[in-house]
Amino acid sequence: MAKINCIGILTSGGDAPGMNAAIRAITRSAIASNLKVKAIYRGYEGLITGDIKEFTTENVSNIIQRGGTILKTARCAEFQTPEGRAKAYENMKAEGIDALIVIGGNGSLNGARIFAEEFDVPCIGLPGTIDNDLNGTDSTIGYDTTLNTIVECVDKIRDTANSHERIFFVEVMGRDAGFLAQNSAIASGAEAAIIPEDSTHANQLEQFIGRGIRKSKNSSIVLVSESPKCGAMYYAERVRKEYPEYDVRVSILGHLQRGGSPSASDRILASRLGVGAIQALKEGQRNVMIGIRNDEVVYVPISNAIKSDKPVKKELIDVLGILSI
Ligand code: F6P
């Protein structure tokens, strides 16, 4: 196995709070292991255009508390083509980069997997996404912060919902995964969550509206996972039609969910994963995502990590159901 002297780091896909903490951890732990660090800007785009700069420990000072990513990020269509990846490989070699560490979500890690297979390049992935939809890790970088941001917003919306005796449908991100909606519903005391993994709530609109409003409650909050067809607007319209007696509002939280200073949990997670990435390379690991499961750092083959079948526990669905009576 060829010796690794220099690593490249990039962030790719949607930014997530804690990415900077991961960049810091990777950089510092690489330098502590006598490895050179090259920072690649704008994700795979920077690898293709050669937007690359050597980092010292000072480049990552004072960033652990900052949201977003100092490396910038992008979703790069060119990297999805063999020609784009060939250009990226040329630049990587020209820069003397022997291994790549990619911080990103599903699509970004899939890109790393293909690149690693095509050019026999050591690639390590870090789960960086607010969606928490990567297998093999209990949490992804950014998920905890976003959950807290959503809960803060719902607490505020609750004041208006109560005062005006309204039903609010609050739409949150997550792409195809319902972790953000389900757990923010539990944490904010919401009446229900409509998530892609569980179709029962969606079909039982009447039941949860009846349960909440018609009995003792004078207001309801329903967390809804984003969806092109069945988002918060869709459910609000259904209630307006089927229950015209209710005053219904929609709040789509949008990109405010992705910003902000990372929570302590995300900073610790990102720091442990960053150190874990360098440790994995030193142990000769290739093509794995670093995760934390049951408080232990684990190596997960990227091909397993990106399978889009991470389940939302049935227990969480039950907890919300029981507590929203
Ligand atoms: O994957 C992170 C995420 O925030 C998803 O939850 C959301 O669907 C998507 O990215 C939004 O992407 P963009 O910022 O490109 O609109």
Side-chain angles (χ1 to χ4, degrees):
M1 212 174 275
K3 187 169 182 312
I4 294 170
N5 296 308
C6 173
I7 59 145
I9 317 173
L10 60 85
T11 48
S12 167
D15 63 302
M19 280 184 162
N20 284 327
I23 295 165
R24 172 181 180 268
I26 295 164
T27 302
R28 294 208 164 157
S29 109
I31 290 172
S33 295
N34 297 315
L35 296 171
K36 256 194 190 179
V37 177
K38 298 267 175 112
I40 301 156
Y41 286 84
R42 294 177 186 78
Y44 294 114
E45 202 177 297
L47 205 53
I48 292 172
T49 58
D51 196 355
I52 299 170
K53 172 179 157 184
E54 184 163 346
F55 260 20
T56 64
T57 54
E58 285 78 33
N59 290 101
V60 293
S61 293
N62 205 18
I63 64 166
I64 195 168
Q65 77 282 17
R66 286 166 58 187
T69 159
I70 61 161
L71 296 184
K72 317 286 182 201
T73 186
R75 293 193 170 94
C76 179
E78 202 181 345
F79 194 72
Q80 289 172 21
T81 67
E83 296 75 26
R85 290 193 293 275
K87 272 194 223 166
Y89 180 68
E90 287 312 310
N91 278 326
M92 193 177 152
K93 288 290 112 187
E95 287 284 341
I97 298 171
D98 306 308
L100 204 57
I101 301 183
V102 173
I103 309 164
N106 241 295
S108 309
L109 297 195
N110 193 31
R113 182 190 63 80
I114 295 168
F115 192 59
E117 281 169 10
E118 248 170 18
F119 296 99
D120 196 21
V121 169
C123 284
I124 301 287
L126 251 64
T129 168
I130 62 165
D131 302 336
N132 197 30
D133 58 351
L134 287 161
N135 274 304
T137 188
D138 293 339
S139 185
T140 55
I141 297 167
Y143 171 64
D144 179 70
T145 307
T146 297
L147 207 48
N148 281 294
T149 302
I150 295 171
V151 170
E152 216 177 288
C153 292
V154 175
D155 287 349
K156 290 185 171 134
I157 290 171
R158 175 76 72 187
D159 291 344
T160 302
N162 272 333
S163 307
H164 285 263
E165 302 184 296
R166 284 177 177 164
I167 301 174
F168 266 88
F169 287 93
V170 180
E171 184 174 299
V172 298
M173 283 186 170
R175 203 178 290 275
D176 301 317
F179 296 98
L180 285 171
Q182 186 66 33
N183 281 322
S184 61
I186 293 175
S188 61
E191 277 58 45
I194 298 176
I195 61 170
E197 294 86 346
D198 173 31
S199 57
T200 54
H201 277 315
N203 297 331
Q204 291 169 355
L205 208 55
E206 181 172 353
Q207 204 184 321
F208 71 69
I209 286 180
R211 200 170 56 205
I213 286 230
R214 288 194 186 140
K215 286 191 183 159
S216 56
K217 297 185 184 178
N218 65 358
S219 69
S220 281
I221 292 185
V222 180
L223 268 293
V224 185
S225 288
E226 64 178 346
S227 153
K229 284 198 190 132
C230 303
M233 288 290 190
Y234 167 81
Y235 288 103
E237 269 321 299
R238 265 187 62 184
V239 174
R240 281 188 187 115
K241 273 201 196 109
E242 293 169 34
Y243 307 92
E245 66 273 32
Y246 293 128
D247 194 8
V248 180
R249 291 292 187 277
V250 168
S251 187
I252 297 174
L253 298 187
H255 285 84
L256 68 79
Q257 295 165 88
R258 281 226 304 255
S261 181
S263 66
S265 291
D266 272 330
R267 296 181 198 194
I268 295 165
L269 174 68
S271 300
R272 291 179 71 187
L273 294 177
V275 171
I278 298 302
Q279 184 58 33
L281 277 178
K282 290 201 300 193
E283 289 172 16
Q285 292 286 338
R286 302 285 181 267
N287 231 346
V288 292
M289 183 194 82
I290 315 298
I292 293 188
R293 232 175 11 217
N294 301 326
D295 204 30
E296 296 290 340
V297 174
V298 291
Y299 305 148
V300 190
I302 292 182
S303 49
N304 290 350
I306 60 176
K307 279 187 192 146
S308 48
D309 57 357
K310 186 173 179 180
V312 171
K313 276 188 179 167
K314 166 87 171 54
E315 178 224 332
L316 293 173
I317 295 170
D318 292 344
V319 166
L320 181 61
I322 293 165
L323 299 185
S324 60
I325 53 171

